[in-house]
Amino acid sequence: KKHKFWETQPVGQFKDIGNSTLSEGPIEPPAPLSEVKQEPYNLPSPYEWTTCDMDSEETCSEVYNLLMNNYVEDDENMFRFNYSKEFLRWALRPPGYFKSWHIGVRVKTSKKLVAFITGVPARIRVREEVVNMAEINFLCVHKKLRSKRLAPVMIKEVTRRVHLENIWQAAYTAGVVLPTPITTCQYWHRSLNPKKLIDVGFSRLGARMTMSRTIKLYKLPDSTATPGLRKMELHDVPAVTRLLKSYLGQFAVAPDFDEDDVEHWLLPTENVVDSYLVESPETHEITDFCSFYTLPSSILGNQNYTTLKAAYSYYNVSTKTPLLQLMNDALVVAKQKDYDVFNALDVMQNESFLKELKFGPGDGQLHYYLYNYRLQHALKPSELGLVLL
Ligand SMILES: COc1cccc(CC(=N)NC(=O)c2cccnc2OC2CCNCC2)c1
């Protein structure tokens, strides 16, 4: 029976699509904390819960290795996400985070880490409502423990721990269709190193295309074009926060960033997140912003390469510089930093540059979900202003 677990959860159900008697907003009301289950859910007997302290080098390495060997692969099982340790520490320790939401499962005897799921707090605006949510991510069960029905109990346990902090909504993405997506995004890839991408099977040589013609097609300028483009610095946080808050206001669902959030999520961090802004040479006003995060993938079964260096479009704001030019400069910077590919979803205003900047459509979709919050209608990807890691 499909979705046996999800039909028991407060999420939009397929059977409710189009039922206009159901109002937009929380599906179940908050419960008094005394009514939240105080003790952890039961795991199958060989396993025990553990809280993963990401400040611990040893535990962070265990999480890194579990994900490197068992996390999400592409549809053809040629690549697997290879989040770095510094990326995981960044992703899991935003302002107000809870260590208790970094949940692992260990084998009682060997203490081996065999599963993981996380939440981080986020203020997300849904239309006019700002909602305290948990962003759920990194659900991973060791390949050898699949279909033991561990995922449902891990989802229930992270939900229980989120409830204990009086948070009743969540946001998450998945490559699979579950009840019920608030939107479904296409992903797009812009080749930066086409020879490597073809060698490893990420891309295929176009029909009637030679390798040298393909390399020429994706060639980028050696330097950026926008006057006043520079890396974001700490003193830019107030201006970038204002710029971002104003820009994200146009989307139906978007983070409600304050300065502490912007400092954490958007200040450049080596090998994790890169952020650039345009400071007008005349007025010194900050008029535009672009950012991408670094998520390499392991290349499974290739003699010459082990890693695909990929940049993922994050938050971009254009108020003076055309978005097309701003994003082309982002491609130029990514190429300068030796990335192989630049990925983007068709969210926000990304559709306006994807084809013109020679992005090609990916072969999959990314579905966005809200937990315990019903939207009257699914969104178009262009109405979504939320990028999850
Ligand atoms: C190239 O290596 C891959 C390794 C694993 C999976 C995929 C395909 C895939 N599933 N891609 C995405 O989900 C994706 C494509 C474009 C932009 N963001 C994305 O996912 C982000 C956001 C959701 N969490 C994973 C990273 C590709």
Side-chain angles (χ1 to χ4, degrees):
K1 180 113 178 48
K2 221 159 146 54
H3 309 313
K4 196 165 163 302
F5 167 71
W6 284 107
E7 281 165 5
T8 70
Q9 297 298 297
V11 291
Q13 299 295 332
F14 292 129
K15 62 180 174 49
D16 296 338
I17 289 179
N19 180 344
S20 51
T21 67
L22 297 166
S23 62
E24 187 151 294
I27 294 168
E28 287 179 350
L33 292 203
S34 54
E35 284 181 24
V36 177
K37 191 174 185 305
Q38 301 298 303
E39 67 289 341
Y41 281 90
N42 289 332
L43 281 167
S45 55
Y47 310 109
E48 63 186 9
W49 296 113
T50 184
T51 295
C52 294
D53 176 3
M54 299 306 288
D55 300 340
S56 146
E57 178 55 39
E58 184 187 359
T59 309
C60 190
S61 292
E62 286 185 283
V63 169
Y64 169 78
N65 285 306
L66 174 74
L67 295 175
M68 183 172 74
N69 294 313
N70 301 281
Y71 199 46
V72 177
E73 297 173 7
D74 69 305
D75 289 350
E76 291 166 54
N77 306 104
M78 295 172 68
F79 308 99
R80 189 183 304 130
F81 287 139
N82 182 206
Y83 288 88
S84 70
K85 286 195 274 189
E86 60 266 40
F87 189 108
L88 292 168
R89 280 194 280 264
W90 169 70
L92 296 177
R93 299 185 303 177
Y97 79 97
F98 303 95
K99 277 188 194 288
S100 60
W101 294 7
H102 303 159
I103 304 170
V105 174
R106 291 185 186 279
V107 178
K108 278 176 187 160
T109 49
S110 64
K111 299 300 176 198
K112 183 178 171 11
L113 186 69
V114 292
F116 189 59
I117 188 168
T118 68
V120 294
R123 257 185 343 284
I124 309 268
R125 180 182 50 76
V126 185
R127 298 201 210 282
E128 289 76 46
E129 295 292 311
V130 176
V131 182
N132 285 312
M133 294 197 189
E135 284 176 0
I136 303 303
N137 208 341
F138 304 112
L139 169 57
C140 179
V141 174
H142 194 286
K143 283 171 178 276
K144 290 192 174 124
L145 301 185
R146 299 285 166 87
S147 58
K148 283 183 176 295
R149 304 297 292 171
L150 278 178
V153 69
M154 292 172 70
I155 294 166
K156 283 193 279 197
E157 181 60 13
V158 74
T159 304
R160 186 188 71 85
R161 297 190 190 191
V162 168
H163 286 163
L164 287 175
E165 302 298 342
N166 199 26
I167 289 177
W168 304 93
Q169 272 73 36
Y172 51 103
T173 61
V176 291
V177 178
L178 304 167
T180 299
I182 60 165
T183 195
T184 294
C185 306
Q186 296 291 331
Y187 34 87
W188 292 72
H189 316 289
R190 207 287 184 185
S191 297
L192 301 175
N193 183 349
K195 184 173 179 323
K196 177 174 175 182
L197 295 182
I198 289 164
D199 282 359
V200 303
F202 182 87
S203 313
R204 282 184 298 284
L205 206 49
R208 295 187 301 285
M209 289 283 280
T210 62
M211 183 61 83
S212 69
R213 169 97 179 70
T214 302
I215 291 168
K216 209 168 294 167
L217 173 67
Y218 291 112
K219 178 112 184 69
L220 287 161
D222 291 335
S223 50
T224 55
T226 307
L229 185 76
R230 64 171 173 81
K231 282 184 84 89
M232 177 186 176
E233 298 168 27
L234 184 59
H235 74 271
D236 299 310
V237 165
V240 169
T241 305
R242 283 191 296 275
L243 189 70
L244 206 48
K245 283 184 89 71
S246 153
Y247 183 78
L248 290 174
Q250 68 186 289
F251 304 111
V253 173
D256 179 51
F257 284 137
D258 66 16
E259 289 187 6
D260 293 337
D261 301 317
V262 168
E263 182 176 337
H264 178 81
W265 291 121
L266 294 164
L267 209 49
T269 306
E270 179 95 26
N271 266 329
V272 171
V273 59
D274 284 80
S275 308
Y276 291 82
L277 52 79
V278 179
E279 176 177 350
S280 156
E282 297 79 41
T283 68
H284 296 290
E285 183 200 3
I286 293 179
T287 56
D288 312 279
F289 177 83
C290 65
S291 60
F292 55 86
Y293 63 81
T294 297
L295 169 50
S297 279
S298 303
I299 301 170
L300 311 173
N302 181 283
Q303 277 74 12
N304 312 326
Y305 298 99
T306 56
T307 304
L308 191 68
K309 187 172 180 184
Y312 286 72
S313 179
Y314 200 30
Y315 291 98
N316 307 301
V317 180
S318 105
T319 69
K320 290 279 181 313
T321 308
L323 186 59
L324 198 72
Q325 179 184 318
L326 190 65
M327 293 311 295
N328 199 63
D329 278 349
L331 295 176
V332 169
V333 167
K335 177 65 182 173
Q336 288 171 347
K337 290 164 163 265
D338 209 25
Y339 285 84
D340 299 319
V341 63
F342 192 102
N343 296 319
L345 296 166
D346 57 355
V347 297
M348 294 184 272
Q349 296 177 322
N350 291 356
E351 237 181 323
S352 70
F353 62 75
L354 291 167
K355 286 184 182 137
E356 200 156 350
L357 293 187
K358 298 174 187 157
F359 283 74
D363 56 8
Q365 298 179 311
L366 191 68
H367 308 276
Y368 275 75
Y369 301 94
L370 292 180
Y371 183 92
N372 194 22
Y373 203 93
R374 188 194 318 282
L375 281 189
Q376 206 60 282
H377 308 104
L379 304 178
K380 291 177 284 189
S382 58
E383 294 174 298
L384 183 68
L386 177 64
V387 177
L388 298 187
L389 303 173

